[in-house]
Amino acid sequence: MAEYAPLLPQTSRVPHEHPIFLRVCHSPWKAIGQRSLSLIRGLLAAYMTALLVWSTEYSYNRTDLGGLIFYDGGNVSYLIQVIYYWITFTWTSHHLFFRKSRTRSEDEQSTLAKVGKIFQIPHSSSPREFRRMLFSLFYTAAVTFPFVDTLVHWLVLQNFRFENLPCLNILVDHGHAFDGTLEKAFILVNINAINSLVALFEILILSSVRKQMALGGHIAGLLTMTGLYIAWTAIGHQLTGRYIYPYFDPSVVGSRGIITAICTLMALVTSTFLLQLGLHDLREHIVGKADCERNGRQ
C-alpha cells in the first residue's frame, strides 16, 4: 500500500474491507501520510512514556501517595494509552522500514524480516476472529477511559472535601490541583486533562477506525475492565492499608456509598463509551462528505 494512499471506503458489497489493525495505521485525512502519522505516533509514545515515568517518580518519592500511585486511575488509564501508542507506532513504521529494506542485501533482508515479524500488523482472515475483537476492545479502552478519568478527576476528586477528616488528605493527592509546585500542576494537567485531548485527537485525526458495531460486547468488555480496576484498588488497600479514592473508603462514605460510587462509575463508563461512539460517527460523516465533494459527488 502506498504511503499516502487512503483507505478505501467500506461498501456493502465488500464488508469489512480493512481490519482495525490496518485502520489504526492510516489517518482518514489525506494531509497526514503514513510517514507523518508514524512520526506523530512515535513522538506521542515517547512523550507520554517520559511523562508517565516522571509522574510515577514524583508521586512515589515526593508526595504522601507512595505506593498508592500504582493504583491511581489516571495513571492506569495513561498506561493503556502509552501501550496503545507504542503498538500503533511500530505497526505504522513497519511499512516504511521494510519498504526501504528492499535495497539491502539478502542477508540483511533476512535479518530484518525476522525482526519485522515482531512488529508487523497481524494478519486477519476472519472479521469475527477473537484477536480482532480483542484489539478493538483495547482501542476502545484507550479512547474511552481517558475521558472517564478527566471527568472523575476534575468534577469529583477536585471537589471532594475532608474538613472533618483532614488526615485523609494524604491518601489522595488530588485535593487542590494547583497548590504546590508548577511541576505538580504540569503533571496533573497532562495525566488528567491532556490525556482526553490525545484521545480526541486519536479519534478525529489519527486513526481510520470505524465506530464499534458490537456495542454489547464492547460495553461488557469495558465494564469488566472497570470491575478489574476496582479489584485492583482493593488489592492496593490490602497492601498499603490506605484507599486511593475516598469514595471507596467505607469509613468515609459507608457501604451504601461504595455501592453507589461503583454503580455511578459503571454508568459513567457506559456514557463515555457512547460519547466516543458519537465522535467516531462525526468523523466518518465529515470525512465521507469531504470525499464526496472531492470526487464531485453530491
Side-chain angles (χ1 to χ4, degrees):
M1 182 173 290
E3 176 184 350
Y4 296 99
L7 291 171
L8 297 174
Q10 187 179 24
T11 65
S12 58
R13 290 181 300 174
V14 188
H16 307 289
E17 288 175 310
H18 305 293
I20 188 173
F21 309 119
L22 185 61
R23 287 192 170 276
V24 296
C25 298
H26 290 268
S27 170
W29 308 100
K30 280 193 171 183
I32 303 179
Q34 196 173 5
R35 188 182 300 275
S36 300
L37 181 62
S38 178
L39 177 61
I40 293 171
R41 290 201 181 283
L43 291 174
L44 280 172
Y47 175 80
M48 295 177 74
T49 299
L51 189 73
L52 183 61
V53 173
W54 180 17
S55 170
T56 303
E57 186 279 330
Y58 177 86
S59 299
Y60 188 84
N61 295 319
R62 288 183 274 175
T63 71
D64 292 319
L65 273 177
L68 276 179
I69 191 61
F70 299 110
Y71 307 94
D72 178 78
N75 279 352
V76 173
S77 172
Y78 207 76
L79 177 61
I80 292 175
Q81 285 184 292
V82 168
I83 296 173
Y84 170 80
Y85 276 105
W86 278 117
I87 291 174
T88 54
F89 166 65
T90 55
W91 287 353
T92 307
S93 301
H94 178 270
H95 299 292
L96 298 174
F97 184 75
F98 281 90
R99 185 179 298 114
K100 292 181 179 179
S101 70
R102 293 174 183 173
T103 60
R104 300 176 182 267
S105 67
E106 292 184 2
D107 290 340
E108 289 177 316
Q109 287 184 4
S110 178
T111 302
L112 290 173
K114 292 178 182 179
V115 175
K117 289 182 179 180
I118 303 174
F119 303 107
Q120 67 182 358
I121 299 174
H123 295 291
S124 181
S125 58
S126 171
R128 294 185 178 181
E129 66 179 271
F130 177 72
R131 58 181 174 179
R132 180 181 291 194
M133 178 62 182
L134 194 63
F135 183 76
S136 179
L137 180 59
F138 178 66
Y139 165 82
T140 304
V143 297
T144 299
F145 287 135
F147 294 116
V148 175
D149 170 67
T150 298
L151 292 172
V152 170
H153 183 90
W154 298 104
L155 298 182
V156 179
L157 294 176
Q158 289 299 324
N159 295 315
F160 206 100
R161 302 302 182 185
F162 296 109
E163 285 86 354
N164 298 325
L165 295 168
C167 61
L168 292 180
N169 282 314
I170 65 172
L171 304 187
V172 185
D173 193 22
H174 302 74
H176 300 282
F178 299 102
D179 292 349
T181 66
L182 181 62
E183 182 180 17
K184 175 184 175 182
F186 180 82
I187 290 174
L188 283 177
V189 169
N190 271 271
I191 297 292
N192 303 112
I194 303 299
N195 62 334
S196 289
L197 295 181
V198 172
L200 183 66
F201 188 59
E202 174 68 29
I203 294 172
L204 298 180
I205 305 298
L206 295 185
S207 78
S208 297
V209 176
R210 294 183 179 275
K211 61 182 178 181
Q212 299 85 347
M213 300 305 295
L215 301 186
H218 282 84
I219 291 175
L222 290 177
L223 294 182
T224 299
M225 295 174 71
T226 304
L228 291 174
Y229 170 70
I230 294 173
W232 178 242
T233 64
I235 293 174
H237 168 66
Q238 294 297 320
L239 295 178
T240 66
R242 299 183 293 173
Y243 290 92
I244 182 63
Y245 295 126
Y247 47 75
F248 288 156
D249 188 346
S251 67
V252 176
V253 297
S255 299
R256 291 185 178 180
I258 295 176
I259 295 175
T260 300
I262 292 175
C263 292
T264 302
L265 182 59
M266 295 291 187
L268 180 60
V269 170
T270 304
S271 300
T272 309
F273 168 77
L274 297 177
L275 169 65
Q276 63 84 30
L277 202 68
L279 291 174
H280 281 84
D281 198 28
L282 174 64
R283 186 248 293 151
E284 290 178 23
H285 174 74
I286 295 174
V287 172
K289 185 176 180 181
D291 287 340
C292 288
E293 294 176 352
R294 188 180 303 112
N295 295 327
R297 299 194 296 269
Q298 293 291 331

